[in-house]
Amino acid sequence: MVNSDRSYLTAPSATSLVAEPTEEYHHTASSQQQWAEILVDVPGVQGLYTYSLPKDLSVQLGDIVSVPFGMQVTGGIVIRLLETPPADLDRERIRDVEDVISSGFFPDDYWQLLQRVAEYYLTDLMSAIKVALPPGLLGRSQRRIRLCQNKLPPGAETFCSNVARQILQLLQQQKDGNYSINYLRSQVKGASRGIRELSKRNWIESYLESPRRIQAKLQTAVTLVIESWLEDLTPRQTEILQILRNNGGEMWKKALIKEARTTAATLNKIIALGYITFSEREILRKEQGIAQKTDIPQQLTPDQATALKEINNQTGYAQLLLHGVTGSGKTEVYLQAIATILEQGKSALVLVPEIGLTPQLTDRFRARFGEQVCVYHSKLSDGERYDTWRQTIQGEPQIIIGTRSAIFAPLPNLGLIVLDEEHDSSFKQNRPIPTYHARTVANWRAELNNCPLILGSATPSLESLVNCREVGTNGIRPIDNQTTYYLSLPERIGSRPLPPVEIVDMREELNRGNKSVFSLSLQNAITDIQARQQQAILFIPRRGHSTFVSCRSCGFVMECPHCDVSLSYHYTHEGAAKLLRCHYCNYTSLQPDTCPQCCSPYLKFFGSGTQKVTQEISKLYPDLRVIRFDSDTTRRKNAHRDLIARFISKEADILVGTQMLTKGLDIAGVTLVGVVSADGLLHRSDYRAAERAFQTLTQVAGRAGRGDEPGKVIIQTYSPEHPVIRTVKHHDYASFSTTELEQRQALSYPPYGSLILIRLSSIEESEVQKNASAIADACIDLLDESWSVLGPAPASIMKVARRYRWQILLKNTETQTSNLPDLSSLKEHCSQAVSMTIDVDPINID
């Protein structure tokens, strides 16, 4: 390994080096020595490094390889292949590439996409590559610290410095007494000094952990090798061979044993006779859905037919906004548009905002397209993600359905991209870097692949809206000269009406003496659906039981010791210990019997979460069956699918959940939707608060009345006069968007301005504040007059997971941030104890 001394990540000419190599080159094993320039996966390293290629190793551009780097082994990407190394490098010092991990991952247009992500989101190329690849593909060894239990004397912590004591305590709290050095450094200030102290006493040992590679999954195949059978076979052996022949002469070993009702020992005897052979074959791990009945294309409404015709007319890149009210049949338009793409021998990519949406959508796609559908999201195992990723490279016509990371699936013959619920904030990555937005990346990818991009939503984002429409006093009208096409589905399938929305003022409920979380109107509606044997969805913004626990005597609130937030109460079962949990760092503790401040026994739960709502339903309606649908109940694999399947099959009457159930669920039996508390959505310190509240409430309201029976929506709030509530009541997206865009334009907020958020955090409060001030001053010197520097200021929740957080907001009055400022020099003003993240086009300003 020798540094090629090229400023690859910052040089203007670097783009062509990756996206358009100077010559086509395919290296195979030969007698001539070859070299490669490799981008390595090591934190803090910038540039390319030159390695030699062993003569027996076949390497191509874009291959993922493992290479030695310093005292470790790490992953890297082959950027260029060389006949001779740079003249200024000593050949004796150049180290060998160890192995090829994966080949053929990076065609030219894919390189261009990753480089554009890195440039726009102000990060290095390796970070963009890592966020695009499946986990485990780029592995690297890491230095770890292990506790030497047999050498640790009793009371060892009393003989240590404060830093060494903290490290010792962390190791003792961990089951195996084992942490990476990087983790210890992130948790303890001056950890290196403490590690040296403990090493000298031989109480800890340091070792290098090898990279963890994802292994291919192998399965044993049985192959028939002799067609003519002699008399040395028993009748049972002959029967087994006949079954094997009837299946084409080859079967998986497990399948043959099951079908022939035999054993492995019997097969081994047939092998000894020479009639069959075993071989290990790789099988691709994929998310296995439930077998679906074959589905056929449905008859389209005139509006659907018009939208589909416009989509099919696109012969190259185009962006199309499909604005359809809830239940208007957007998915059927996707399905029929994709069918055309598959007939052309191309593939399609469908993105959804939440993992919870994938099972129902996947089932519908598989019913139409069968095995051509693959799923890609973070709840798959590493092996499933790795194999699904590799399958996408093959080039066969297929459909990938996934969350935001699926935008990087390397489909070589991409013909269409669909973003369903394109308005959803889940399409924006907050961490790790780069903080990309899947909608933005999808647009770039559609351009590079010269294919259409469909943005579908009942409540389009204002950014998408202004690209294709103008807002006036008489409503919203399409603009003919825009490159983004506007497609409208203004009515539900079968001309079903949108459900009427009733607004309940909870202040009046209190005046009537009703202290329940349910208004009388909602209680009556639940009683009605019980009598009619129908189903209901109840939405509450928060999971858990209660928002916070407070002392009624002194007002003390139980707070997380690591974050500036209150602890939420989580109910487990009757008689169980009362558990308090932080929703930011997952700190948990038992609720004390008395107030820690005044020793009063009067601790009370305040606020409502999904658990409390579920309990209240069970008390008021003991005969109703309830399913809770939130991040607590959907942690295990396939939990989303199982819970929704149970609800669809009428195993429950009421589905209680958070934002998960507001998106994409299409359940015909739901005739009632109740929003238990809308106020948690309305009053947030963010310029997008009104837009998000309108979108969430409109989407959840749209879950009602999608079948033959009409639906009804009841929204409970203490702010019935709020503009968002008034527009949601009338399903009036046009009025809401007109007003909201006027306010955004007056304040130069997106989509009429650009934002960059600089986030800083450290375990030292004074250190992060000092760095924030220095970086804000540096921003003033770097930026031109079109930019404003707001801050520095503490984040709305200043401390999370023991780290103090400050932020600086850069605001530009220009609509597009096409020419972003060079902020790379800001790192010079940031100490090692402070972490800095630059978020371009931030969604959350907290």
Side-chain angles (χ1 to χ4, degrees):
M1 170 204 72
V2 177
N3 192 338
S4 303
D5 196 27
R6 287 175 169 81
S7 299
Y8 173 74
L9 298 181
T10 56
S13 61
T15 302
S16 61
L17 295 180
V18 175
E20 300 177 6
T22 53
E23 59 180 340
E24 186 73 19
Y25 189 91
H26 296 285
H27 171 74
T28 55
S30 69
S31 59
Q32 295 183 343
Q33 178 67 59
Q34 304 287 337
W35 290 266
E37 288 185 333
I38 294 174
L39 186 64
V40 295
D41 178 22
V42 176
V45 171
Q46 297 287 316
L48 298 174
Y49 287 78
T50 299
Y51 289 84
S52 59
L53 302 177
K55 293 181 180 180
D56 60 347
L57 194 65
S58 177
V59 177
Q60 298 180 22
L61 288 173
D63 282 359
I64 299 174
V65 295
S66 59
V67 294
F69 191 91
M71 298 298 293
Q72 61 181 319
V73 177
T74 189
I77 312 293
V78 179
I79 302 297
R80 285 198 291 181
L81 296 161
L82 309 171
E83 294 294 336
T84 58
D88 57 343
L89 298 183
D90 181 0
R91 294 193 181 192
E92 297 299 321
R93 296 179 56 211
I94 300 177
R95 303 168 73 177
D96 285 351
V97 171
E98 291 202 346
D99 197 8
V100 175
I101 301 172
S102 293
S103 296
F105 268 56
F106 297 101
D108 285 355
D109 58 6
Y110 198 79
W111 274 118
Q112 294 177 50
L113 178 70
L114 295 180
Q115 197 150 8
R116 192 165 182 179
V117 169
E119 291 171 356
Y120 184 82
Y121 290 103
L122 304 177
T123 188
D124 59 276
L125 182 59
M126 181 53 77
S127 293
I129 291 172
K130 288 174 67 177
V131 81
L133 296 182
L137 200 58
L138 276 180
R140 67 167 175 266
S141 57
Q142 62 175 335
R143 182 66 57 181
R144 299 187 68 86
I145 298 297
R146 181 164 48 209
L147 195 62
C148 299
Q149 296 282 7
N150 58 335
K151 298 181 180 179
L152 203 65
E157 61 275 5
T158 60
F159 303 103
C160 301
S161 67
N162 183 50
V163 175
R165 185 182 304 112
Q166 292 181 60
I167 294 173
L168 197 60
Q169 289 172 346
L170 282 172
L171 291 170
Q172 289 173 325
Q173 291 169 6
Q174 210 270 347
K175 181 180 179 181
D176 299 322
N178 192 316
Y179 275 123
S180 69
I181 282 184
N182 289 336
Y183 176 78
L184 294 174
R185 285 173 177 165
S186 71
Q187 295 298 305
V188 180
K189 185 179 181 181
S192 297
R193 185 172 68 254
I195 291 170
R196 287 195 298 270
E197 178 184 335
L198 295 172
S199 296
K200 287 180 181 179
R201 297 175 183 265
N202 293 322
W203 293 351
I204 61 172
E205 62 179 354
S206 170
Y207 70 98
L208 193 65
E209 181 183 57
S210 299
R212 298 177 180 176
R213 308 290 186 205
I214 295 178
Q215 302 297 321
K217 184 177 181 180
L218 301 177
Q219 192 163 306
T220 303
V222 183
T223 305
L224 185 65
V225 294
I226 297 179
E227 292 287 343
S228 300
W229 303 333
L230 303 177
E231 295 181 358
D232 57 347
L233 292 172
T234 67
R236 181 69 179 123
Q237 290 171 335
T238 302
E239 181 186 357
I240 294 170
L241 291 178
Q242 186 63 50
I243 291 174
L244 187 58
R245 174 189 282 174
N246 293 342
N247 282 274
E250 192 168 76
M251 293 179 69
W252 293 118
K253 181 180 177 182
K254 289 183 178 179
L256 179 58
I257 288 174
K258 182 178 180 180
E259 185 171 338
R261 297 180 181 178
T262 185
T263 64
T266 302
L267 296 183
N268 288 333
K269 291 178 181 178
I270 303 176
I271 286 180
L273 295 172
Y275 287 94
I276 61 174
T277 183
F278 286 168
S279 60
E280 294 296 311
R281 309 275 184 84
E282 181 184 356
I283 61 170
L284 292 178
R285 291 159 287 205
K286 294 172 57 179
E287 189 266 350
Q288 299 298 321
I290 300 172
Q292 302 295 318
K293 294 180 180 179
T294 302
D295 180 36
I296 60 174
Q298 299 174 11
Q299 180 68 38
L300 299 181
T301 67
D303 291 323
Q304 286 177 307
T306 300
L308 179 63
K309 181 180 178 181
E310 192 65 56
I311 293 168
N312 289 339
N313 284 342
Q314 307 308 315
T315 57
Y317 165 72
Q319 189 175 111
L320 305 103
L321 178 61
L322 182 60
H323 180 192
V325 299
T326 55
S328 59
K330 295 185 289 296
T331 303
E332 184 62 29
V333 175
Y334 303 154
L335 288 165
Q336 296 198 26
I338 289 172
T340 301
I341 294 298
L342 295 177
E343 289 171 1
Q344 298 170 1
K346 299 179 180 180
S347 295
L349 183 57
V350 180
L351 301 186
V352 294
E354 294 276 2
I355 292 171
L357 288 183
T358 54
Q360 198 173 19
L361 191 70
T362 302
D363 290 347
R364 187 165 176 187
F365 269 74
R366 281 187 172 140
R368 188 73 59 90
F369 301 113
E371 291 302 312
Q372 289 181 287
V373 178
C374 294
V375 178
Y376 189 85
H377 55 67
S378 61
K379 285 293 180 72
L380 299 179
S381 69
D382 287 354
E384 287 173 330
R385 293 175 72 182
Y386 176 65
D387 285 355
T388 301
W389 178 276
R390 287 193 299 151
Q391 180 174 328
T392 64
I393 304 172
Q394 304 306 316
E396 298 176 359
Q398 56 190 303
I399 304 164
I400 301 297
I401 300 177
T403 48
R404 63 172 177 262
S405 60
I407 189 58
F408 297 108
L411 291 163
N413 197 14
L414 186 59
L416 178 67
I417 303 175
V418 176
L419 255 76
D420 192 28
E421 310 292 355
E422 65 85 28
H423 64 277
D424 199 282
S425 60
S426 297
F427 281 125
K428 173 74 162 139
Q429 168 113 333
N430 291 320
R431 59 184 180 184
I433 57 172
T435 56
Y436 69 93
H437 198 300
R439 184 177 60 226
T440 303
V441 179
N443 188 46
W444 296 338
R445 188 160 188 192
E447 287 181 310
L448 289 169
N449 286 267
N450 196 32
C451 71
L453 166 65
I454 302 175
L455 304 175
S457 177
T459 53
S461 65
L462 298 183
E463 286 84 354
S464 297
L465 185 67
V466 297
N467 285 337
C468 62
R469 315 213 309 173
E470 65 180 8
V471 180
T473 55
N474 295 323
I476 309 173
R477 304 181 300 276
I479 298 179
D480 295 331
N481 61 355
Q482 289 285 350
T483 57
T484 301
Y485 296 86
Y486 175 74
L487 310 175
S488 178
L489 302 178
E491 295 183 354
R492 284 185 158 188
I493 296 296
S495 298
R496 297 186 183 101
L498 288 169
V501 179
E502 177 185 349
I503 308 300
V504 177
D505 188 345
M506 294 302 286
R507 296 172 299 186
E508 295 182 1
E509 292 294 311
L510 284 176
N511 292 335
R512 292 177 186 149
N514 179 17
K515 296 181 180 180
S516 169
V517 295
F518 305 124
S519 63
L520 295 178
S521 180
L522 185 53
Q523 291 180 38
N524 292 334
I526 294 173
T527 301
D528 189 47
I529 66 116
Q530 183 178 19
R532 295 172 178 269
Q533 296 184 334
Q534 296 170 346
Q535 292 176 293
I537 285 178
L538 296 183
F539 168 72
I540 184 77
R542 292 182 64 96
R543 61 190 171 99
H545 183 279
S546 300
T547 307
F548 63 96
V549 180
S550 177
C551 174
R552 287 185 291 178
S553 298
C554 70
F556 177 82
V557 175
M558 300 293 298
E559 294 185 341
C560 175
H562 310 309
C563 310
D564 287 338
V565 296
S566 60
L567 293 172
S568 297
Y569 168 55
H570 280 248
Y571 175 86
T572 52
H573 57 83
E574 189 67 31
K578 295 177 180 177
L579 187 67
L580 304 181
R581 177 177 294 166
C582 174
H583 286 178
Y584 284 82
C585 71
N586 207 34
Y587 166 85
T588 56
S589 70
L590 294 176
Q591 180 185 317
D593 294 328
T594 59
C595 172
Q597 182 163 287
C598 72
C599 298
S600 168
Y602 302 111
L603 294 173
K604 185 180 180 182
F605 303 132
F606 290 87
S608 298
T610 50
Q611 281 186 324
K612 186 173 182 179
V613 170
T614 303
Q615 283 183 341
E616 291 297 314
I617 284 288
S618 298
K619 289 179 182 178
L620 291 172
Y621 306 94
D623 295 332
L624 288 180
R625 299 159 298 171
V626 183
I627 290 178
R628 185 160 60 94
F629 192 65
D630 58 27
S631 58
D632 288 334
T633 61
T634 56
R635 290 180 179 175
R636 64 175 179 82
K637 189 175 181 179
N638 295 325
H640 296 85
R641 174 188 297 279
D642 294 343
L643 292 176
I644 294 301
R646 285 174 53 199
F647 190 63
I648 292 175
S649 61
K650 301 291 184 72
E651 293 182 29
D653 307 295
I654 298 180
L655 187 66
V656 177
T658 54
Q659 270 85 346
M660 284 182 178
L661 53 72
T662 68
K663 307 165 187 176
L665 294 183
D666 190 355
I667 302 172
V670 174
T671 58
L672 171 66
V673 167
V675 178
V676 178
S677 175
D679 301 280
L681 301 170
L682 301 175
H683 309 295
R684 293 181 176 176
S685 56
D686 193 309
Y687 76 95
R688 294 180 184 269
E691 182 183 10
R692 287 178 180 166
F694 179 87
Q695 290 167 342
T696 300
L697 294 174
T698 299
Q699 292 286 343
V700 73
R703 301 313 109 198
R706 299 171 79 98
D708 295 331
E709 296 292 330
K712 179 180 182 181
V713 180
I714 297 175
I715 298 178
Q716 300 181 165
T717 177
Y718 289 91
S719 306
E721 70 287 345
H722 196 286
V724 167
I725 298 297
R726 292 202 303 267
T727 50
V728 168
K729 176 178 174 60
H730 300 290
H731 304 280
D732 192 355
Y733 176 79
S735 176
F736 169 78
S737 58
T738 300
T739 303
E740 186 67 13
L741 282 171
E742 289 173 352
Q743 295 176 358
R744 297 274 187 93
Q745 191 168 26
L747 298 172
S748 297
Y749 274 111
Y752 299 108
S754 305
L755 299 176
I756 298 176
L757 184 65
I758 301 175
R759 293 186 174 96
L760 303 158
S761 71
S762 174
I763 58 176
E764 286 291 329
E765 183 177 5
S766 59
E767 189 73 11
V768 69
Q769 184 175 356
K770 181 176 70 175
N771 278 247
S773 297
I775 290 172
D777 292 339
C779 288
I780 294 173
D781 296 333
L782 281 172
L783 302 175
D784 60 37
E785 60 185 13
S786 67
W787 289 90
S788 301
V789 179
L790 307 179
S796 60
I797 300 176
M798 186 175 179
K799 188 172 70 168
V800 172
R802 301 181 183 178
R803 298 186 69 87
Y804 294 90
R805 309 188 307 161
W806 280 65
Q807 57 191 33
I808 303 161
L809 185 64
L810 310 181
K811 185 179 178 183
N812 196 311
T813 55
E814 296 180 3
T815 302
Q816 299 292 332
T817 48
S818 54
N819 297 314
L820 292 172
D822 182 6
L823 301 178
S824 58
S825 61
L826 294 182
K827 293 182 179 178
E828 301 172 3
H829 304 275
C830 192
S831 65
Q832 289 187 347
V834 176
S835 171
M836 181 178 74
T837 301
I838 299 176
D839 187 355
V840 178
D841 302 333
I843 290 291
N844 297 310
I845 303 178
D846 57 356

